[in-house]
Amino acid sequence: MSVSELYPSHASVISVLRSAGCVFAEDEADLLISTARDRDELAAMVERRVMGLPLEHVLGWADFRGRRVAVDPGVFVPRRRSEFLVAQALELAPPSPVVVDLCCGSGALGAAVLHALGAGELHAADIEPAAVRCARRNVAPVGGRVYEGDLYDPLPAGLAGRVDVLIANAPYVPTAEIGLLPPEAREHEPLVALDGGADGVDIQLRVSAGAALWLVPGGALLVETSERQAPRTVAAFADHGLCPRVAVHEELDATVVIGTRPE
């Protein structure tokens, strides 16, 4: 049997995916079939999914706030819970804001903010070269720029004191808990995008320490974290001159700490 004959029907794809342990086999089959250009490509995509690759890496995109975001192999997959961070940022953003997206990964969050607002200036940064390449594809349509480097280091000096909204989906999984993550994450996403240090807040503390230098008076830093870690993040924000508060979305299991630079 040729590869083009391996998956002649929707039911066959569902059966193969279900046998591999895919809980949402029907939905995944729909996405794979609608994305593949022919049966050969579909066969290859199903094989990669059965081998354990994240669905988004197989498809080459993820749905984020109703838009397709390019997600290349080896790049952190944007989670639905992060849509809550974007929603919080939109509530705080002035017209045509200057937005910075740190630890940007695919660039999904920053691009979503600018796309929703329809105007503004976006700068994104990530330390992972694959993420930077991917993010450039996603932020280009909104006129954004992406820089490679560690947190604030690669940002243009002229942004200091001009940023209205600073978002950071920094890694917040404690190092000892990386092994507890699903195989899709720990085997196919970069460790630097997952590992937040011994207690999961190392990168958050570094982000909060530098935020006041970049924010305009009244500007805000928004960091995604966990409910367990939020008190430590709140304390760090306060220590570095920001006025903190916590926003929670129980349905999405999303926690965002927001720190405002005083006027």
Side-chain angles (χ1 to χ4, degrees):
M1 180 180 292
S2 69
V3 69
S4 62
E5 297 173 325
L6 285 175
Y7 303 109
S9 70
H10 183 257
S12 299
V13 176
I14 293 174
S15 177
V16 171
L17 293 174
R18 186 176 290 132
S19 297
C22 298
V23 177
F24 302 104
E26 293 85 354
D27 294 337
E28 293 193 12
D30 290 342
L31 291 170
L32 291 167
I33 291 170
S34 65
T35 300
R37 290 167 292 187
D38 53 43
R39 287 189 175 186
D40 284 358
E41 184 173 45
L42 176 60
M45 293 172 73
V46 171
E47 181 178 3
R48 292 197 297 273
R49 181 62 180 133
V50 168
M51 291 172 60
L53 271 70
L55 177 65
E56 294 81 4
H57 287 169
V58 175
L59 295 172
W61 57 269
D63 183 291
F64 191 77
R65 284 180 58 89
R67 299 176 64 244
R68 287 191 178 186
V69 175
V71 182
D72 297 333
V75 174
F76 181 80
V77 177
R79 272 51 165 181
R80 184 164 176 254
R81 69 167 62 92
S82 297
E83 295 180 359
F84 181 59
L85 188 154
V86 171
Q88 294 297 304
L90 291 173
E91 289 184 8
L92 296 169
S96 298
V98 175
V99 178
V100 167
D101 181 0
L102 294 182
C103 306
C104 70
S106 66
L109 277 66
V113 171
L114 261 290
H115 183 267
L117 292 172
E121 182 180 336
L122 173 62
H123 300 265
D126 201 287
I127 199 170
E128 182 71 25
V132 171
R133 291 191 296 270
C134 184
R136 284 175 175 154
R137 293 162 55 201
N138 289 317
V139 307
V142 296
R145 299 184 63 186
V146 185
Y147 312 90
E148 182 180 334
D150 185 29
L151 299 182
Y152 301 104
D153 289 351
L155 296 180
L159 281 176
R162 294 185 51 233
V163 179
D164 298 293
V165 176
L166 173 56
I167 60 178
N169 187 13
Y172 55 92
V173 179
T175 303
E177 297 180 17
I178 294 294
L180 303 178
L181 293 174
E184 290 183 7
R186 68 173 188 266
E187 295 177 7
H188 299 286
E189 293 181 311
L191 182 62
V192 70
L194 302 171
D195 191 342
D199 54 7
V201 298
D202 284 5
I203 311 302
Q204 295 178 9
L205 298 184
R206 293 178 56 213
V207 170
S208 64
L213 174 66
W214 298 89
L215 292 171
V216 299
L221 166 64
L222 300 93
V223 172
E224 180 177 302
T225 189
S226 69
E227 183 178 1
R228 178 182 60 177
Q229 293 158 327
R232 179 83 185 275
T233 308
V234 165
F237 277 32
D239 288 345
H240 294 110
L242 303 175
C243 299
R245 62 183 176 88
V246 179
V248 176
H249 192 301
E250 293 186 1
E251 182 180 345
L252 293 176
D253 188 28
T255 301
V256 175
V257 178
I258 303 168
T260 305
R261 181 184 170 190
E263 295 282 356

